Amino acid sequence: MTAHHSPRTIILADGSQAHMQEAVARLRPTIERYLKVVNVSFDFASNLDLADVQLAIVLGGDGSILRAAHQMGYHQRPVLGVNLGRLGFLAALQPEQLEQALPEIAGGQCRVVEHLMIECTATRDAKPLYHSLGLNEAEVLAGAPFRMLDIQLYVDGDLVTTYSCDGLIVSTPVGSTAHSLSAGGPILRNSIQALVIVPINPHTLTHRPVVDSADRTIELVVPEPHEGTSLVVDGRVLGRLESNDRVKIVRSKAQFQMLEVCGQAYYRTLHDKLGWGGQLRKSK
């Protein structure tokens, strides 16, 4: 398929890193052999005109894909992640695999998988304070002076419990392999419509991770925050929380769209990225 008939594509990368600009210059001719590149953006903070864009290729790691998802906001486009970072759960395609994957993309042979995103809103005295879309997670972190923090959890308006912990994570399935995983949370298949609530270092060991429907309304309240208690979404600090600020987390109408090329498999990605060893025992 010629570029004229190919998906109109934007390339996104972090231009503050010199090696990323070099990578775009190196890979762009390969991409343009199969896709019509209509724009290249090196600034994840800029406003994008996506009206005529059908595909976004993000060069970098998972952090770059998170920033691209935030940049696209409510106008998500299918994303192909090319891993130039380290771990790369979302940016699962290696640069050397582009030559094989691009003809499949140009020929419409790839699947678009939609992933849950969340809306996180903090209010103070019923007035809006902070707001952000999230792809991975929303977190309330204790902060300085780094003592145990009490966080109240409400689900659909009902008080569930009060956690004494170093913080509380509300994660999407995509985010279940991020901070939630390191805090002891479960891995969720990224197509599941659910949220994971994970306390960080809970004082009471009976407080375990909880999985609930993404259609629930989750609220977090900190009666007595520390000086540094903060709301964090996808690694970005939105701001400090004061006594009785309410953090509400709900399903967003926006859905992150990941392009899945042939040969990619969910458990294969987990096996490779998490370094899962072991072999299947052969039957005699």
Side-chain angles (χ1 to χ4, degrees), residues 198-231:
V198 184
I200 304 172
N201 300 328
H203 178 68
T204 303
L205 294 181
T206 55
H207 278 150
R208 312 308 302 165
V210 174
V211 179
D212 205 343
S213 166
D215 292 321
R216 302 292 183 186
T217 296
I218 295 173
E219 293 178 287
L220 310 178
V221 177
V222 184
E224 298 180 7
H226 301 162
E227 181 180 341
T229 299
S230 300
L231 174 61

Side-chain angles (χ1 to χ4, degrees), residues 63-125:
S64 294
I65 291 184
L66 286 175
R67 283 180 283 174
H70 283 269
Q71 188 178 23
M72 290 188 285
Y74 297 98
H75 305 284
Q76 298 289 317
R77 295 293 186 270
V79 169
L80 177 68
V82 181
N83 186 25
L84 297 175
R86 288 175 293 179
L87 196 57
F89 277 101
L90 295 172
L93 195 71
Q94 299 303 314
E96 58 270 19
Q97 297 174 303
L98 265 177
E99 192 73 61
Q100 178 182 348
L102 288 172
E104 299 173 4
I105 296 170
Q109 299 170 8
C110 297
R111 189 165 68 105
V112 176
V113 182
E114 295 185 332
H115 298 306
L116 172 71
M117 296 185 74
I118 55 175
E119 303 263 354
C120 180
T121 305
T123 57
R124 179 173 298 159
D125 299 325

